[in-house]
Amino acid sequence: AQSVAQPEDQVNVAEGNPLTVKCTYSVSGNPYLFWYVQYPNRGLQFLLKYITGDNLVKGSYGFEAEFNKSQTSFHLKKPSALVSDSALYFCAVSPSVVSGNTPLVFGKGTRLSVIA
Amino acid sequence: DGGITQSPKYLFRKEGQNVTLSCEQNLNHDAMYWYRQDPGQGLRLIYYSQIVNDFQKGDIAEGYSVSREKKESFPLTVTSAQKNPTAFYLCASSIHAYEQYFGPGTRLTVT
């Protein structure tokens, strides 16, 4: 069975500093990996995805994520954090070999707080 | 929030009443999903539908029911059998095993 772990419930970072939100996964075969962001009382917004190709994936709002197959990780990063980046971040996984639309499996989320 | 609408944004019901949450999409996506979100528990899958007139139970389907009579619509009924229905409910759709697009959510409060 596939699963996602986000080991940190909360990440605090000073504005202007680099940020990392961690994600590790478990899936049979090659994964499709995703990051979403959620602002209070809103739905999830797609940030970026890894399907195949370059291990470094660039997404919306200056975010990027690095796929590391040997460590089964897909950490979200940003070189310089903004206060407006404060939100709840979810990592999700799907096996690449699927029949039909298999639902994504989500981690429990990491709350990012960027302090001015 | 893309082309997915959920209504209403806030919903209040008395215990023992069934309530139906609406989800409509104009993205022409085949698949639709319902998730429940509780603080500290992430997203938990209730039901999903890969095609019209077909749906599958997710991890926490007990006390919920769905229908998929049209491609655009996937309403969720929270029945009186659901022991703890107060939560934030999110609907999503997708075109394949790629990214899901989410609606803005409905916050249900049952007292």
Side-chain angles (χ1 to χ4, degrees), chain B residues 10-104:
Chain B
Y10 298 96
L11 190 54
F12 299 88
R13 280 294 183 271
K14 295 289 188 185
E15 192 173 330
Q17 294 179 335
N18 291 356
V19 60
T20 298
L21 282 60
S22 168
C23 178
E24 304 278 333
Q25 55 103 355
N26 62 3
L27 301 169
N28 200 33
H29 287 172
D30 288 319
M32 297 187 74
Y33 313 82
W34 274 106
Y35 293 90
R36 170 181 172 139
Q37 184 177 18
D38 297 282
Q41 296 198 45
L43 273 66
R44 294 184 290 170
L45 182 67
I46 305 173
Y47 269 97
Y48 67 103
S49 168
Q50 298 184 351
I51 198 168
V52 174
N53 292 322
D54 186 48
F55 48 83
Q56 288 79 41
K57 292 182 179 180
D59 301 320
I60 56 165
E62 185 176 352
Y64 299 97
S65 66
V66 293
S67 63
R68 187 85 187 278
E69 296 177 1
K70 299 186 300 182
K71 189 175 187 178
E72 302 79 18
S73 179
F74 191 40
L76 173 74
T77 297
V78 184
T79 75
S80 56
Q82 168 50 233
K83 295 286 188 279
N84 186 19
T86 294
F88 190 51
Y89 290 88
L90 288 161
C91 179
S93 69
S94 70
I95 197 164
H96 192 57
Y98 294 137
E99 64 266 29
Q100 295 177 1
Y101 293 84
F102 283 81

Side-chain angles (χ1 to χ4, degrees), chain A residues 32 34 36 38 41-46 49 51 88 90 94-95 98-104 106-109, chain B residues 1 9-10 30-31 33 35 37 40-43 45 48 50 88 90 94-100 102-104 107:
Chain A
Y32 291 165
F34 306 85
Y36 287 82
Q38 185 183 33
N41 294 311
R42 300 290 298 277
L44 275 66
Q45 296 178 30
F46 169 76
K49 66 183 176 189
I51 302 296
L88 188 57
F90 289 96
S94 176
V98 296
S99 57
N101 285 288
T102 303
L104 300 181
F106 287 84
K108 292 192 174 183
Chain B
D1 298 329
K9 188 170 179 62
Y10 298 96
D30 288 319
Y33 313 82
Y35 293 90
Q37 184 177 18
Q41 296 198 45
L43 273 66
L45 182 67
Y48 67 103
Q50 298 184 351
F88 190 51
L90 288 161
S94 70
I95 197 164
H96 192 57
Y98 294 137
E99 64 266 29
Q100 295 177 1
F102 283 81
R107 186 165 297 280

